[in-house]
Amino acid sequence: MNKPNFMVRLVKAYNGSSLILRIVIGLVVGALLGLFASSWTWVSVLGDLFVGALRSMAPILVFVLVASALAQSRSRLDKRFGMVIFLYLLTTLDAAVLSVFMSFLFPQKITLAAAEDSLSAPQGLGEVFSNLLNNLVANPLGAIINGNYIGILFWAILFGFAMKKIASDGSKTFMMNVSDAVSMIVRWIINLAPFGIAGLVYTNVSTNGLSIFTDYGKLLLLLVSTMLIQALIIAPIISALFLHRNTYPLLFRCLKESGLTAFFTRSSAANIPVNMELCEKLGLDREMYSVAIPLGATINMDGAAITITIMTLAAANTLGIQVSIPAAILLSFVSALAACGASGVAGGSLLLIPMACSLFGISNDTAMQVVAVGFIIGVVQDSVETALNSSGDVMFAATADYYAKLKHGEPLPEFLQTKKEKAALANRKESK
C-alpha cells in the first residue's frame, strides 16, 4: 500500500517542481557521472532517447501547428506578419555584421582537425538556393520524415489555406484537437528533459572531458560572446526602437522561459510548444503567434549567421588571407541569406561554412576541417545558438503584436508599461 502512494507522491513532487531546477539537477548529475562513472555507458541511452523523441515529433508538430492555425484563422494575414518577417531577417543580418566586427576586433586562429569525409557541403550560394527550392517542393511525407522544415512549412501553409476554404467547422475543430494533442506529447517529452540532459551531458563529459574549453576555448568564447551581445544588447535595442520603452523585462522573460529550455533541447522546432505557451502568457494574438513562432523556428537564424561568419573568418585568418571590408560586408549578406535556409540544408549551419569559405578561395577540404572543429565545440556552441534563435522567435513576435496594439491604443502587459501609462490606467480605474 505504501509503495504506490510513495510513487504517486514522488511523481507529484517531480511535476510540481520547477522545470529549470530539474534541468540544472540533471545537468549536474550527468556531469558528475561523466567524470566519476564513465563506465556506466547505459546513462547515455537516456540522452539518445530524449533527442530521438524530439527529432521524431518536431516535424509533425510544425506541420499540424501551422496548418491548424491557418485553417482556424478568421481574417487575412495582417501587417504584423510582415513586421515579424522583417524583424527575423533584420536581426539575422545584423548578427552577421556583428560577427564581422567581433572577428576583426578579436581575430582567431584555429588548429584544424581531421576532415569529415562523409559530409558534403553546398559549393556556392546558387547551390544553397537550389537546395532551398528543391526542399520547398519536396514530397510532404518525405519532408516530415527527413525533418525538412522548409518543405514542411510550405506544405503546411498550402494545406492550412485549403482547409480554411473547404473544411467544415467540425473538421477545423478536429485539426485543432490534433494540434493540441501533438503539442501535449512534446510537452510530455520536454517534462522528461532532466533525464535526457543527464544522458547527453554524461556522454559529452565522459568522452571529451573538459578539453573543448582548452583546445578551442578562444574560438568558443568569441562565438558565445557574440551571441550574448546579440541577445542581450542588439535584440532589446531593436525591439525598443519599435515599442519606445525598456524591453529588457520582455527579453529576460523570453530567455528564462524559452531560451533556457532551448539551450538544453538544442532544437528550435522542438521548443515550439514552450514558445507557444509563453506567447499565451504574454497575451499575444493566437492567430498571429500560431504561424509566427513556427516560421521563426525556420528563418530566424541569428545564431547560425554568427557561426557561419566567425568560423569562416577564423579559417581565413588561420590561412593568412587578408579579408577586405567590402569582402566582409559581402560575407555578412551571404551568411544571413544562407542562415535563413540552414534548416533546409543537410547538416544545418555548420555545413554552410564551406560555401562561405569559397568566397575567399579556401578549398573545400580545408573548409570541411573547419566544419569538423565546429562539431567538436558544438556541444556548447549549438546550445547557445539554439537558445538565441528560439528566444528571439518570441521576442520579435511579441514586438510585432505589441506594436500593433500600441497603434490601436490598446494597453500592453503591466511589466512593459511605462510609469505614465500605469498612472493613466490607475486614474481611469479611480474615475470608474
Side-chain angles (χ1 to χ4, degrees), residues 94-104 226 305-307 309-310 313:
D94 76 60
V97 174
L98 173 64
S99 302
V100 169
F101 174 78
M102 293 293 287
S103 293
F104 275 45
T226 306
I306 290 171
T307 298
T309 305
I310 289 181
L313 290 176

Side-chain angles (χ1 to χ4, degrees), residues 186-431:
V186 176
R187 282 195 292 269
W188 287 344
I189 296 171
I190 292 177
N191 193 45
L192 297 174
F195 298 99
I197 289 164
L200 292 172
V201 172
Y202 168 85
T203 301
N204 290 322
V205 172
S206 62
T207 303
N208 301 316
L210 303 178
S211 61
I212 59 169
F213 297 103
T214 55
D215 295 343
Y216 302 105
K218 290 183 180 180
L219 177 61
L220 182 60
L221 180 61
L222 179 60
L223 284 164
V224 172
S225 298
T226 306
M227 291 178 191
L228 290 178
I229 291 173
Q230 176 70 18
L232 299 178
I233 299 177
I234 305 298
I237 288 176
I238 291 175
S239 181
L241 289 175
F242 288 92
L243 300 181
H244 304 291
R245 66 198 60 234
N246 175 21
T247 54
Y248 274 97
L250 174 61
L251 170 68
F252 293 141
R253 189 93 178 261
C254 292
L255 289 175
K256 177 183 176 183
E257 300 191 32
S258 171
L260 192 59
T261 54
F263 179 90
F264 291 107
T265 60
R266 296 170 69 178
S267 171
S268 294
N271 210 48
I272 287 175
V274 176
N275 284 352
M276 299 277 278
E277 186 177 349
L278 176 55
C279 288
E280 186 72 24
K281 293 178 183 177
L282 294 174
L284 306 187
D285 181 4
R286 182 179 177 85
E287 285 191 16
M288 190 277 292
Y289 72 72
S290 294
V291 178
I293 294 301
L295 180 65
T298 306
I299 69 169
N300 183 36
M301 293 291 172
D302 300 8
I306 290 171
T307 298
I308 295 168
T309 305
I310 289 181
M311 296 292 283
T312 299
L313 290 176
N317 192 50
T318 300
L319 298 173
I321 299 173
Q322 297 296 321
V323 179
S324 64
I325 297 298
I329 294 173
L330 176 61
L331 174 64
S332 298
F333 281 96
V334 169
S335 297
L337 289 172
C340 291
S343 61
V345 179
S349 60
L350 289 176
L351 283 182
L352 291 170
I353 292 172
M355 181 273 299
C357 284
S358 67
L359 293 175
F360 307 115
I362 299 174
S363 69
N364 190 62
D365 290 341
T366 302
M368 290 309 296
Q369 293 182 48
V370 179
V371 174
V373 173
F375 279 115
I376 293 173
I377 63 174
V379 175
V380 176
Q381 168 268 327
D382 189 45
S383 294
V384 180
E385 178 181 315
T386 307
L388 169 62
N389 292 340
S390 190
S391 60
D393 294 347
V394 181
M395 179 83 174
F396 295 112
T399 298
D401 193 69
Y402 291 156
Y403 180 79
K405 287 181 177 179
L406 288 174
K407 286 290 187 181
H408 291 88
E410 300 177 30
L412 298 188
E414 186 176 352
F415 72 92
L416 273 181
Q417 291 175 7
T418 64
K419 292 182 179 180
K420 185 177 179 180
E421 289 170 341
K422 289 179 180 178
L425 286 174
N427 291 333
R428 288 178 195 173
K429 291 180 180 178
E430 290 178 2
S431 62

Side-chain angles (χ1 to χ4, degrees), residues 82-95:
M83 184 174 177
V84 166
I85 294 172
F86 170 75
L87 288 172
Y88 286 162
L89 297 179
L90 173 65
T91 54
T92 301
L93 177 59
D94 76 60

